Each structure stands twice: as C-alpha cells, then as structure tokens.
Amino acid sequence: MKVAIILPSLVNKGPVLVAKDIICHISPTLVEFTVFYFDDKVEIDFPCKCERISVTSKIDFNSFDIIHSHMLRPDFYIWLNKKHIVSAKCISTNHQDIVENMKYSHNLFVAKIVSFLWLKLFRKFDVIVMLTREMKTKYLPNLQKNRVEVIYNGRKVETHADIPIEDSVILKNIKASFKVIGCTAVLTRRKGVHLLVEALKTMPDYALVVVGDGIELNNLITLSKKLGVSERCFFIGARPLAYRYLSYFDVMGMCSTSEGFPLSLLEAGLYNKSVVVSDIPIFRELFSDEEVVFFDLKNMISLTKAIKKAFRQQEMYGNNLNRTIHDKYSVDNMARCYYELYNEISKERNYVQK
C-alpha cells in the first residue's frame, strides 16, 4: 500500500509529530510512505522519502492508495486538486477545535470565517478523523455526508534523554528551594499559563517553570512582575524535545480552555508525572479523577488546591496516568487504528478500480 502524507512543514509541532509517529510505527513492509510538505522548515527527520512542494505543484496523486493530509494548507491543497484525484482515497485528520483555537490566536470573527471555510474543505474528503468523541459530536452536523472516525493520538518519548547542562544547573537550583510546577507549551492565551502565574501569589513555596515560547510570553512576564512573583517564574524558552524537562517538574499544569488532543499530557504521563488539568470536556473524556487532578477554570482556589493535592499524591497519580497511557493512548494503538483505516478504504479504492 502506498500512502502520501501532506504536511505544512517538518517543524516540531503536534500534528507533525503525530504524522511521524504514524509512519514510524506502521511497518514499511505494510505501507510505503511519502511525505510532502510546503515550508522550508525542517526540524524533524522522517524515515521515508520527503519532498517539498508548493500549493501550485502537481504530484502523481493516483500513484497512491491513500492521501492523508494534516492541517489547513494541506487540506486546501487536496481541495484544490480533488478533480485530479481519480482513484486515491483522501483522509484528513483534524487536530484542533478550530473555532476555539483560532479565537485565541486571532479573534472570534476570524475563527468563525476560517471554521466555515475549513469545513467546506473537509467535504471533499472520503474520511475525516477526529481526535476525540467530543470533537466528532461538535462537527458532525456540518459533515453529515462524510465518513467521520475517531482515533485517539498516542505518544512515545525517550524518558532518559538529557537536557543542556546549563538548563540542568538552573533547574536543580530551583528544585533545591521550591516545589516545582511546570508546563511545556506554545504560549497562547488559550493555554491558560497565566493561571499558574496567578496561583503562585498564594503559594510561596512553589516555583513555576515554563518551557516554550509564543505570543503570550511578554504578557506572562509582565503579569509575574505585577503580582510580585517574578523571582519564582522561570521562562526557559522554546526547546527541542521539550518533554526532556519533565523530569525536573513535581507537578505538571495544563490550564487550557480548549485542546485538540493533549500530547504534552501524554508525555507527562510517560514520565510518571502528577498532572493538574482544567475541567473541560476533552480531559473528562480521556481521563478520570484517579489519573489527573481536575480544577475549575473560574476558581483560583480550586487550582491551588488541585496543585497541592497533585503534589501530595505524586506517586499515585503518576503511576495511574502512566498505566492508562500505555493501555489506551500508546503510539502503537494509534498507528494500528490508522493502518486499519488505510487498509479498509484502500480496499474500497481497489473495488472501484475493478
């Protein structure tokens, strides 16, 4: 079976990591992958042929059994070329709650326009893969003519990977003086990192370590100074393989107002970390009160109590979360589900050809 994967770029971001994990965990004896990408940004190596293209490029679509796109530009590219795709079957994985994500990165007007147009693009696909049941329920009314499947993401990381010595020295010094709340994220308002900064005001024995960069960084630094907690806020910056820093955290904080699928939470679980999460539908769908500590986004006291509880019971929550991720959200499970989907609709393609 031959599968084309189409990506915006080869950068270290969630959708690209998911695509790589799919490729790496489906045997090359079963599927021959080719990756096509647009931007000249290469941070991740793929174990297959990779080719840079432009939106106006034409590839030999019908030499593939499956064409699998990820994110807006690849979806638009498939929509633009759909009339040339005679026999190959087209899949798109939707990695985000489009409206909620774009509302925070742009504004509500832009979010609604983009969502409307993106859903139009989806209608050209044979299958749309959603990452959660909650996301499927939300978008299904607009995709009634499509086949919509749910495949949970998986993650696999090297839990003994080292970090740069200079960062290690800083983090060891922090841990010697404070209990450490940590997060790894692209810093947008949607990620809710400002709540962790605010929580420090009433938690003098805790420090916050943030690994990541983004448009919200300067606002977070300003907030930490305003609240008088800047000496306990450490903004490390963007780092490759940010999960390597998890071993220095006592508690992981995820205060998102929305999520597509929380890969960083899976990474924390693989490190046996105790995690505090906002009480939103996606986290409730994926995890129980025995695996993570929930808090109310509108209640700061709820957050501080959750952090203290997660710290007190680190071992229990870390072990429970780790077990669930290996059982339900392993990268092998994800890859198997995609292979089964590829295989099923590839047979439909062969039937049509006959």
Side-chain angles (χ1 to χ4, degrees):
M1 186 192 312
K2 297 181 68 176
V3 176
I5 301 286
I6 306 182
L7 300 168
S9 63
L10 305 186
V11 299
N12 185 34
K13 291 188 176 180
V16 180
L17 295 173
V18 168
K20 180 179 179 180
D21 281 340
I22 292 169
I23 292 169
C24 289
H25 290 82
I26 296 179
S27 171
T29 62
L30 298 174
V31 176
E32 178 185 342
F33 285 100
T34 302
V35 172
F36 298 93
Y37 63 100
F38 295 106
D39 294 342
D40 188 19
K41 297 178 182 178
V42 179
E43 299 172 355
I44 297 176
D45 293 325
F46 280 75
C48 62
K49 179 183 177 183
C50 295
E51 180 181 334
R52 189 183 175 199
I53 59 174
S54 70
V55 174
T56 58
S57 297
K58 294 292 185 292
I59 64 177
D60 186 5
F61 297 102
N62 296 300
S63 66
F64 296 96
D65 299 287
I66 308 291
I67 301 171
H68 186 179
S69 70
H70 301 256
M71 301 302 289
L72 180 56
R73 235 181 324 161
D75 288 348
F76 174 72
Y77 179 73
I78 295 301
W79 177 86
L80 195 64
N81 289 283
K82 194 63 168 71
K83 63 184 178 182
H84 303 296
I85 304 174
V86 178
S87 58
K89 295 290 185 177
C90 297
I91 300 173
S92 174
T93 295
N94 178 34
H95 290 269
Q96 60 186 303
D97 185 327
I98 302 168
V99 173
E100 287 299 312
N101 192 38
M102 298 210 66
K103 181 173 72 176
Y104 286 95
S105 62
H106 294 77
N107 57 60
L108 184 57
F109 176 75
V110 170
K112 288 186 175 181
I113 293 296
V114 172
S115 177
F116 174 80
L117 295 175
W118 205 336
L119 289 169
K120 292 284 189 182
L121 302 183
F122 281 155
R123 292 172 188 170
K124 291 287 187 178
F125 286 79
D126 298 288
V127 182
I128 307 298
V129 174
M130 298 291 180
L131 303 185
T132 63
R133 295 192 303 273
E134 192 254 344
M135 196 183 296
K136 177 179 178 179
T137 299
K138 181 171 184 175
Y139 287 105
L140 194 58
N142 296 289
L143 299 170
Q144 292 183 351
K145 294 183 179 179
N146 294 83
R147 175 177 172 179
V148 182
E149 299 287 343
V150 174
I151 297 179
Y152 290 136
N153 279 346
R155 195 76 181 99
K156 184 176 183 179
V157 298
E158 175 50 67
T159 55
H160 300 292
D162 293 327
I163 66 172
I165 294 175
E166 56 272 26
D167 286 349
S168 176
V169 170
I170 292 171
L171 291 169
K172 286 177 180 177
N173 287 336
I174 296 170
K175 281 186 69 67
S177 302
F178 300 103
K179 302 167 185 175
V180 178
I181 312 163
C183 71
T184 61
V186 176
L187 302 179
T188 65
R189 188 72 176 177
R190 178 177 62 87
K191 291 294 184 178
V193 180
H194 62 282
L195 297 177
L196 296 174
V197 176
E198 292 174 18
L200 292 183
K201 191 172 181 180
T202 58
M203 303 174 71
D205 51 340
Y206 283 82
L208 173 64
V209 173
V210 179
V211 183
D213 199 354
I215 59 175
E216 190 68 8
L217 177 59
N218 288 336
N219 292 334
L220 293 170
I221 293 172
T222 300
L223 177 63
S224 70
K225 292 177 180 177
K226 179 182 177 181
L227 296 176
V229 298
S230 59
E231 75 283 356
R232 291 186 286 121
C233 284
F234 300 89
F235 298 97
I236 301 297
R239 293 290 188 273
L241 307 178
Y243 60 78
R244 295 176 297 163
Y245 290 75
L246 283 160
S247 59
Y248 294 88
F249 300 167
D250 295 310
V251 174
M252 173 88 160
M254 293 198 69
C255 305
S256 307
T257 55
S258 71
E259 282 285 343
F261 198 98
L263 290 181
S264 58
L265 202 164
L266 301 190
E267 292 169 351
L270 292 173
Y271 272 80
N272 284 75
K273 291 299 167 179
S274 183
V275 184
V276 169
V277 301
S278 45
D279 195 350
I280 58 176
I282 181 173
F283 291 141
R284 283 290 180 187
E285 177 180 337
L286 300 176
F287 301 103
S288 74
D289 292 289
E290 301 300 315
E291 296 149 354
V292 296
V293 185
F294 291 93
F295 78 95
D296 182 352
L297 275 168
K298 298 179 181 179
N299 188 329
M300 186 55 62
I301 294 176
S302 171
L303 174 56
T304 57
K305 285 183 176 179
I307 291 170
K308 292 174 182 178
K309 181 178 181 181
F311 181 85
R312 288 195 309 269
Q313 302 182 58
Q314 290 178 63
E315 184 175 357
M316 184 199 78
Y317 283 112
N319 289 340
N320 288 350
L321 182 58
N322 181 275
R323 190 179 306 114
T324 296
I325 290 168
H326 279 102
D327 290 346
K328 296 174 63 178
Y329 309 120
S330 73
V331 70
D332 290 324
N333 283 345
M334 177 186 71
R336 175 181 50 78
C337 289
Y338 274 106
Y339 174 69
E340 289 173 355
L341 178 61
Y342 291 162
N343 199 43
E344 181 182 346
I345 66 173
S346 176
K347 290 177 179 177
E348 293 175 6
R349 171 187 187 261
N350 293 335
Y351 178 77
V352 170
Q353 284 183 317
K354 292 178 183 179

